[in-house]
Amino acid sequence: IRAVLESAAISLRDQFTQSGFAAEAILPAFPLNVEGGRLQGVLSLKHCAADAGFGTLGENTLLIHPVYGNRLALAAVITEQQVIPSPVPNVLPSCTHCHRCVTACPENAIHEGTVDQTRCRNLTGYVPQFLRPLT
């Protein structure tokens, strides 16, 4: 999935630049910064998606989409070209703070609205082995 997202973001970026507009692809895994023991990308794609109306952020810090739930992977393109936004669904899902995600997490990585990234299986799969000691 990551390769498909990266390919799509790079292709879209190239279309913008070929049309004469500055553009930058924001890929799902790199570049990463390590700050305070946390892995952070250049831009929080899930926060951008929530701000754009694609869903809401849950207790598990994941984006919850009205159709796909939290089973999402994101990439983005930043451009100077004006883009007409798609309509936002009238009803967005909302985290009910039921704590099922906290209970279900096999690594006990979710605590009080934060995720211990060094314990999260989903995140550590994106981080190359040689970078994991830095987290």
Side-chain angles (χ1 to χ4, degrees):
I1 290 180
R2 183 171 65 192
V4 171
L5 284 172
E6 289 175 0
S7 176
I10 290 168
S11 177
L12 184 58
R13 178 204 61 200
D14 292 347
Q15 288 179 27
F16 284 130
T17 57
Q18 288 170 4
S19 297
F21 294 95
E24 186 64 43
I26 307 298
L27 304 178
F30 290 105
L32 289 175
N33 297 322
V34 179
E35 293 182 19
R38 293 183 54 105
L39 296 171
Q40 296 180 324
V42 173
L43 180 65
S44 173
L45 297 178
K46 65 184 175 185
H47 284 91
C48 290
D51 289 346
F54 288 115
T56 58
L57 295 178
E59 183 82 14
N60 55 7
T61 75
L62 296 176
L63 180 69
I64 304 169
H65 185 272
V67 175
Y68 304 110
N70 65 1
R71 304 292 286 170
L72 300 168
L74 302 169
V77 176
I78 298 173
T79 183
E80 293 178 340
Q81 183 175 358
Q82 185 175 5
V83 178
I84 299 170
S86 299
V88 176
N90 290 335
V91 179
L92 291 176
S94 180
C95 178
T96 62
H97 302 286
C98 65
H99 298 282
R100 284 190 274 177
C101 59
V102 175
T103 304
C105 179
E107 303 299 329
N108 296 315
I110 305 169
H111 298 282
E112 299 176 17
T114 62
V115 175
D116 180 345
Q117 295 174 332
T118 61
R119 299 178 78 169
C120 182
R121 289 182 192 173
N122 292 339
L123 293 174
T124 56
Y126 276 101
V127 180
Q129 185 69 34
F130 70 91
L131 286 177
R132 291 182 193 170
L134 297 175
T135 62

